Amino acid sequence: MSNVFEVLKDRGYVKQMTHEDEMKVLLGKEKVTFYIGFDPTADSLHVGHFIAMMFMSHMQQHGHRPIALIGGGTAQIGDPSGRTDMRQMMTDEIIAHNVASIKNQMEKFIDFSDGKALLVNNADWLRGLNYIDFIRDIGSQFSVNRMLSAECFKSRMEEGGLSFLEFNYMLMQGYDFLVLNRKFGCTMQLGGDDQWSNMIAGVDLIRKKDRKQGYAMTCTLLTNSEGKKMGKTAKGALWLDSAKTSPYEFYQYWRNLPDADVAQPLALLTFLPMDEVRRLSALEGAGINEAKKVLAYEVTKIIHGEIEAQKAKQAAETLFEQGGIDLSNVPTSEVTEDVIGKGLVDLMVELDLLKTKSEGRRLVQQNGLSINDEKIADFALEITKELFVDGAIMIKQGKKKYNRIVIK
């Protein structure tokens, strides 16, 4: 079996590593126990977690043992990484509910049978800590000057201040790695690139406390061609729970990606051979639609299963390709790229698709307005490039009234 390091590099997962040469050798000759942390801030994982689950899956397929660490303890503090505001505090009851929901989702991705993977909750060791002992034993190993230089803290301080509560997050995440190393022989932490500072803290803590070598490797974040995180829809986050984002909506999100954004998720979010990924990514013009259909089907199959993926594919084809809508008879309005950033309802009034903005507000409130067959819940939704599929937006009012808006 090939070294997973080469697979991860080839598919574009690897962003930063603490000891590249050592880790490459280690992953090729030993079975490594590694972990990725997930904070239960919601009762479902979202597309931002999808890439982490794929990261874990590739590692497990090559013989390594994953630990999925649920942050039931750290969730009570909140990770300041990538944020300019403080996370909302959650009750024990909410955290317990979220942890239970996330466990069910993870078991669809990772094989936890016969000790092949572990699912642990850091509340098991964090909740019982004596604060004085913890600060004396663990806090003494951290440099405040170095912590303040970390990007996750700098951005919070620049935007309005970092609470002492959040300042403890790095200590606790580093302590997690130390505990997992001692209890389960975990030697490696994987995670998103926004976690780099926290991950280094864990590696350093293991070295200082136990004189052992730990390793850290970050994964590329899933971003679009403009450098923004993927996974936002008109309804909000793209959830992995079918009750929050239906398989059809999930399929349509990937089917409707801009042409320039198809290559990365093909490599990171599917198990397609890289030769096929490169072939699909190289398609241009109308051919790129083949790549989008393959991407949408593959990712939906992974998250929701083959039956739901096939249903979503058939529904999309019936609606847009097999006569569900005769595009030749759909009224079409041509616009220029100047419409980007304009309110959807404002534009519809300008194009005489609506008589007044009040009519648009009522339509939205009654769930009667859809874009590309996705219900619109935000009256103030703005036009973005992502809304245009093959240069057009399909608007549906009520059950049968269709209009297309096409960029010249």
Side-chain angles (χ1 to χ4, degrees), residues 33-272:
T33 297
F34 68 96
Y35 90 96
I36 296 181
F38 300 84
D39 272 348
T41 52
D43 59 357
S44 170
L45 300 173
H46 54 69
V47 75
H49 299 112
F50 189 0
I51 190 170
M53 300 305 297
M54 293 294 289
F55 208 175
M56 295 180 80
S57 185
H58 280 292
M59 289 283 287
Q60 187 178 52
Q61 288 177 22
H62 285 77
H64 305 293
R65 183 174 69 156
I67 297 178
L69 176 66
I70 304 294
T74 41
Q76 294 186 316
I77 292 177
D79 180 8
S81 302
R83 296 185 65 88
T84 58
D85 60 343
M86 185 172 171
R87 291 188 188 273
Q88 183 178 356
M89 300 288 285
M90 296 190 296
T91 64
D92 290 347
E93 291 76 17
I94 292 175
I95 291 174
H97 169 73
N98 292 352
V99 168
S101 300
I102 290 173
K103 280 183 179 180
N104 290 333
Q105 287 186 324
M106 284 186 172
E107 287 169 351
K108 298 177 182 178
F109 287 85
I110 305 298
D111 182 3
F112 289 95
S113 66
D114 304 320
K116 295 174 185 175
L118 302 175
L119 195 64
V120 298
N121 188 337
N122 66 9
D124 293 344
W125 55 83
L126 293 180
R127 293 292 294 271
L129 285 175
N130 178 293
Y131 186 69
I132 293 177
D133 290 343
F134 179 75
I135 290 298
R136 183 175 59 191
D137 186 38
I138 302 301
S140 61
Q141 307 300 321
F142 285 76
S143 163
V144 171
N145 288 342
R146 183 171 180 181
M147 292 175 69
L148 291 176
S149 68
E151 191 61 37
C152 61
F153 290 141
K154 285 168 63 178
S155 59
R156 287 285 285 114
M157 293 182 69
E158 290 170 359
E159 291 293 334
L162 177 74
S163 73
F164 185 70
L165 184 69
E166 294 170 292
F167 199 59
N168 279 268
Y169 189 89
M170 183 180 287
L171 276 68
M172 292 194 172
Q173 185 165 329
Y175 184 66
D176 284 344
F177 198 175
L178 180 65
V179 171
L180 294 175
N181 181 262
R182 290 173 173 176
K183 291 184 67 172
F184 305 110
C186 177
T187 57
M188 193 175 296
Q189 181 182 3
L190 310 183
D193 199 50
D194 55 349
Q195 294 295 315
W196 179 242
S197 297
N198 292 328
M199 293 165 71
I200 292 176
V203 172
D204 288 345
L205 185 60
I206 291 173
R207 175 178 54 80
K208 291 176 180 178
K209 292 296 296 179
D210 292 352
R211 292 189 173 88
K212 292 182 179 179
Q213 182 64 67
Y215 304 92
M217 176 165 55
T218 67
C219 181
T220 303
L221 299 179
L222 193 65
T223 57
N224 60 22
S225 55
E226 297 176 349
K228 298 179 181 178
K229 286 185 180 180
M230 282 191 190
K232 290 293 184 182
T233 71
K235 292 184 178 179
L238 191 67
W239 300 100
L240 306 190
D241 185 341
S242 60
K244 291 179 175 288
T245 300
S246 72
Y248 177 75
E249 290 171 326
F250 193 81
Y251 179 96
Q252 283 294 87
Y253 175 85
W254 303 103
R255 172 64 183 88
N256 295 341
L257 282 182
D259 295 356
D261 295 340
V262 176
Q264 189 189 37
L266 274 171
L268 297 178
L269 302 182
T270 78
F271 292 108
L272 293 172

